[in-house]
Amino acid sequence: MLGKLIKYHFKSVSEYFLPIFVGIGGFSILYFILGLLNGPNMDNVIFGENGNGVLGIVYILSTVAFFFVIVALALGSSIIMVYHFYRKYVSVEAYLTLTLPAKPWQHVFSMMVVGAIWKLLSMVVCLSAVFLVGFSFVGVSGLRDIFREIFGGAVSFDYLFNSIVSEMGLDFTTAVLTFLDILISLFSTNLICFAALSLGQMSKSHKVMMAVLWFIAMNMIVSTLTDSLTIFSDAQSFNGIFLMGIAINLVTSVVYFVITNWVLEKKVNLE
């Protein structure tokens, strides 16, 4: 049943994400074509003395639209999942959703997994879009030179990774911790919202407002706990403090999961 729930929620949420993905893909392809035509001379072709006015207008409008679509995807992935959870487990539709032959933890787990998958897909789409937009500035020859250096043996992947980490001022351990933090955040950012909505729906009235208050309260508690442990801990290095923050994020994610499961199992209030 767990697999069916994941497929069900994944399909339901796709109706919100796919149009955004299509929009980003369209603008990215437009930039890709502009880059293919003009390459690194893009600015001169569009804004120079002999520039193409129509092409300049298209470029400016597509830039603005692309920016807003990227922001919508970055902010909207969590909002979409929160709305979907509200609709399926807090609103009147919960009567139908909770009649499915599945345990409460399966409902929570499926939502958690689906939310993480769509967040990851959103990151991939954003990075791919940035790559295509970057192509419009370096052109075919510039991109060919970059790939020749990477895949032609002039620059190894180890060297590339170490160079990126070095430019960011990180060491290998910090890079690994950063990856773990991002991985856990794929789940935790949605779980705290699920827990807040679950606690908020226990109220007889103003459920959404109560959910917002619960969200603020839980964030304040976690922030206070994190700051206190950071101050009184023995961890002196940046990596030690970072690791402690990751551990707190992991533990609080488990707590959010348990709270949501407990409410769906024993305290559902759909009046």
Side-chain angles (χ1 to χ4, degrees), residues 203-266:
S203 176
K204 294 182 179 180
S205 60
H206 306 294
K207 296 182 178 182
V208 175
M209 184 181 70
M210 291 303 299
V212 173
L213 293 177
W214 274 110
F215 178 82
I216 295 174
M218 286 189 291
N219 268 302
M220 291 179 62
I221 292 172
V222 173
S223 296
T224 302
L225 177 63
T226 303
D227 293 340
S228 300
L229 290 176
T230 301
I231 293 173
F232 295 104
S233 68
D234 295 329
Q236 300 295 328
S237 65
F238 174 78
N239 287 340
I241 296 175
F242 197 3
L243 181 60
M244 184 174 61
I246 293 174
I248 293 173
N249 195 11
L250 180 60
V251 171
T252 52
S253 297
V254 174
V255 172
Y256 300 147
F257 186 96
V258 172
I259 290 174
T260 308
N261 178 71
W262 173 72
V263 173
L264 291 183
E265 184 176 8
K266 300 182 181 297

Side-chain angles (χ1 to χ4, degrees), residues 23 27 51 62 72-73 82-83 86 108 110-111 119 131 133 168 170 198 215 218 223 258 260 270:
F27 289 119
S62 61
L73 180 59
V82 169
Y83 172 73
Y86 171 82
V108 182
S110 62
M111 286 291 297
K119 273 184 173 294
F131 173 80
V133 171
M168 295 176 64
L170 306 175
S198 300
F215 178 82
M218 286 189 291
S223 296
V258 172
T260 308
L270 301 178

Side-chain angles (χ1 to χ4, degrees), residues 22-140:
V22 171
I24 291 179
F27 289 119
S28 301
I29 293 173
L30 177 60
Y31 272 105
F32 185 86
I33 294 175
L34 290 174
L36 189 65
L37 295 175
N38 303 302
N41 298 318
M42 172 85 73
D43 291 341
N44 293 329
V45 172
I46 295 176
F47 302 109
E49 294 181 359
N50 300 320
N52 188 319
V54 175
L55 188 61
I57 294 174
V58 172
Y59 181 81
I60 293 172
L61 292 178
S62 61
T63 300
V64 175
F66 178 80
F67 172 78
F68 279 109
V69 173
I70 286 289
V71 172
L73 180 59
L75 299 178
S77 57
S78 292
I79 295 175
I80 290 172
M81 291 307 304
V82 169
Y83 172 73
H84 183 69
F85 184 89
Y86 171 82
R87 195 181 71 176
K88 296 298 182 181
Y89 294 100
V90 179
S91 68
V92 179
E93 284 191 42
Y95 281 111
L96 297 175
T97 307
L98 294 176
T99 56
L100 296 173
K103 297 180 180 180
W105 73 265
Q106 292 177 315
H107 286 283
V108 182
F109 188 84
S110 62
M111 286 291 297
M112 180 186 73
V113 171
V114 170
I117 291 174
W118 280 111
K119 273 184 173 294
L120 185 60
L121 289 176
S122 299
M123 292 172 61
V124 171
V125 170
C126 285
L127 290 175
S128 301
V130 170
F131 173 80
L132 289 177
V133 171
F135 174 85
S136 67
F137 294 98
V138 300
V140 177

Side-chain angles (χ1 to χ4, degrees), residues 154-173:
V155 179
S156 66
F157 280 106
D158 290 340
Y159 177 81
L160 182 64
F161 174 79
N162 291 329
S163 298
I164 294 174
V165 170
S166 177
E167 286 294 327
M168 295 176 64
L170 306 175
D171 55 25
F172 179 78
T173 303

